[in-house]
Amino acid sequence: MNVYVSIPRVVDILLAGSALSAVTSVVERPPLFTPDHTAALSCAAMARFRDIALSLTPYLQSVDCDDTDALLLRFDTNLRFDTALTGGAIEHIIAMRVLAQYTRHCCPAVAEACAAEADGLAARLHALMLRQTPAPGRIRPHG
């Protein structure tokens, strides 16, 4: 089962999240990412993608990072889930982790909220996959 993750879509989420956070911020000069920051945001997003791919290793057959427009996570064929929804969730986790990392010094509350959102979504993703993975020695039901 193939899940595609797009770094340009992650950058779009980062730009939107940064803009919305800045508009609603009570901080005098809130951080604001702009399209000028795309290269740096892409680099940060790739690092977070690799972290997530490593955490999903028990469920993966392979990872292809050659094309940032379509990073490929090839999951075990026994897993069943919506690939588009899962790709979007992974993109969101990446974006929230980047926002958490780069807002922690100037806006700790924003960083904490982003980290909590990313951690919660990552936990739900892992739980979804874990429920479909048989424990060692357990027979998987046919179905």
Side-chain angles (χ1 to χ4, degrees), residues 105-119:
H105 298 296
C106 61
C107 298
V110 170
E112 288 174 20
C114 290
E117 188 171 336
D119 291 346

Side-chain angles (χ1 to χ4, degrees), residues 6 16 22 38 46 60 65 75 77 80 87 89 92 100 131 133 140:
S6 167
T38 296
M46 279 300 298
L60 293 173
C65 298
F75 285 87
T77 56
R80 295 285 178 254
H92 193 74
R131 279 194 302 272
T133 305
R140 181 189 299 262

Side-chain angles (χ1 to χ4, degrees), residues 15 127 137:
L15 294 173

Side-chain angles (χ1 to χ4, degrees), residues 13-14 23-24 38 90 110 114-115 128:
I13 295 167
L14 286 164
V23 166
T24 60
T38 296
I90 292 170
V110 170
C114 290
L128 167 72

Side-chain angles (χ1 to χ4, degrees), residues 83-125:
T83 57
L85 184 61
T86 302
I90 292 170
E91 289 167 355
H92 193 74
I93 293 166
I94 293 169
M96 291 302 102
R97 288 194 174 156
V98 170
L99 282 173
Q101 182 177 7
Y102 294 105
T103 59
R104 71 176 182 247
H105 298 296
C106 61
C107 298
V110 170
E112 288 174 20
C114 290
E117 188 171 336
D119 291 346
L121 189 51
R124 288 190 299 279
L125 183 62

Side-chain angles (χ1 to χ4, degrees), residues 49-107:
F49 171 79
R50 286 188 290 275
D51 289 344
I52 291 167
L54 281 172
S55 75
L56 294 173
T57 298
Y59 315 108
L60 293 173
Q61 292 179 343
S62 64
V63 177
D64 182 353
C65 298
D66 292 339
D67 178 6
T68 60
D69 286 341
L71 301 166
L72 173 63
L73 296 167
R74 188 169 290 113
F75 285 87
D76 185 301
T77 56
N78 293 321
L79 297 175
R80 295 285 178 254
F81 49 82
D82 185 283
T83 57
L85 184 61
T86 302
I90 292 170
E91 289 167 355
H92 193 74
I93 293 166
I94 293 169
M96 291 302 102
R97 288 194 174 156
V98 170
L99 282 173
Q101 182 177 7
Y102 294 105
T103 59
R104 71 176 182 247
H105 298 296
C106 61
C107 298

